[in-house]
Amino acid sequence: MTTEFSPFASFLIMTASFIIMAFLAWAFAAWRKVKATQLFPTDPRLKWLVAAYPLILLAEYIGLKFHPVPADPMIDALLANWALWQSVIVIVIAAPLAEEYIFRGVLLVWLRRKIGEFGAVILTALGWAALHTQYDLIWMSAIAASGILLGYIRMRGGSLWLVMGIHAANNAIALSGI
């Protein structure tokens, strides 16, 4: 993306993504009459994997320095014509909610019953990468790799909210231009 925000605006975007996703998870838990903690996994091995996700974001950042993301006219037009709060709602909140619900909520669970966990994770990651045709093959491969990790986290943790939050954080970092 061609738009870069100040470090303070970047911090606000990321902070807002965490707060909004946490609020949505809490609201969903209240609506379903369950404890919010039940929406998130407790497997200690998974916590290390989630904690390692910043390393993936660092790899993405380094990758951006060597191979910038190709310009996306649609996203550039949105950023040029929308207010920051509108961009955050669409890119940081709505996209992760919709994409994760479809790919790791519905498709992954359905494919797991049909072809097993490994195949389901791989197929949904490839499908998710194919959705992002605005990028070149290198970035689509990176998206597929992230999709495999998110699928694994979803299968091991059982929480769709966790992968939605990780996806939102990733999009917040991308939007903020860090």
Side-chain angles (χ1 to χ4, degrees):
M1 287 180 219
T2 59
T3 304
E4 287 200 19
F5 298 101
S6 71
F8 182 69
S10 298
F11 172 76
L12 289 178
I13 291 169
M14 288 184 290
T15 303
S17 75
F18 287 115
I19 292 169
I20 292 168
M21 293 307 282
F23 173 77
L24 289 173
W26 174 82
F28 179 78
W31 176 65
R32 297 288 301 208
K33 296 184 180 20
V34 297
K35 292 181 182 177
T37 55
Q38 290 178 291
L39 297 177
F40 298 96
T42 57
D43 184 342
R45 294 170 296 174
L46 188 63
K47 289 178 184 176
W48 284 107
L49 184 60
V50 172
Y53 201 76
L55 295 177
I56 293 164
L57 297 176
L58 176 63
E60 183 177 321
Y61 173 76
I62 292 168
L64 284 170
K65 297 303 177 192
F66 293 103
H67 184 77
V69 174
D72 180 352
M74 180 184 75
I75 297 295
D76 288 343
L78 292 177
L79 293 174
N81 295 312
W82 286 5
L84 177 60
W85 68 269
Q86 291 169 314
S87 299
V88 168
I89 288 173
V90 171
I91 295 169
V92 179
I93 306 303
L97 287 172
E99 290 176 14
E100 293 307 326
Y101 177 76
I102 292 166
F103 285 96
R104 276 159 284 279
V106 176
L107 290 175
L108 184 64
V109 173
W110 179 75
L111 284 171
R112 181 182 186 191
R113 288 189 297 241
K114 302 288 184 190
I115 61 173
E117 184 176 304
F118 179 79
V121 168
I122 298 298
L123 278 178
T124 55
L126 292 174
W128 184 51
L131 177 72
H132 295 84
T133 57
Q134 70 267 33
Y135 301 117
D136 62 14
L137 188 58
I138 291 172
W139 282 106
M140 287 177 73
S141 299
I143 290 167
S146 292
I148 291 169
L149 179 62
L150 290 170
Y152 180 78
I153 291 171
R154 169 71 165 107
M155 289 288 95
R156 291 292 174 255
S159 173
L160 192 54
W161 287 101
L162 182 60
V163 294
M164 286 176 176
I166 292 170
H167 188 159
N170 185 72
N171 284 12
I173 290 169
L175 177 64
S176 67
I178 291 177

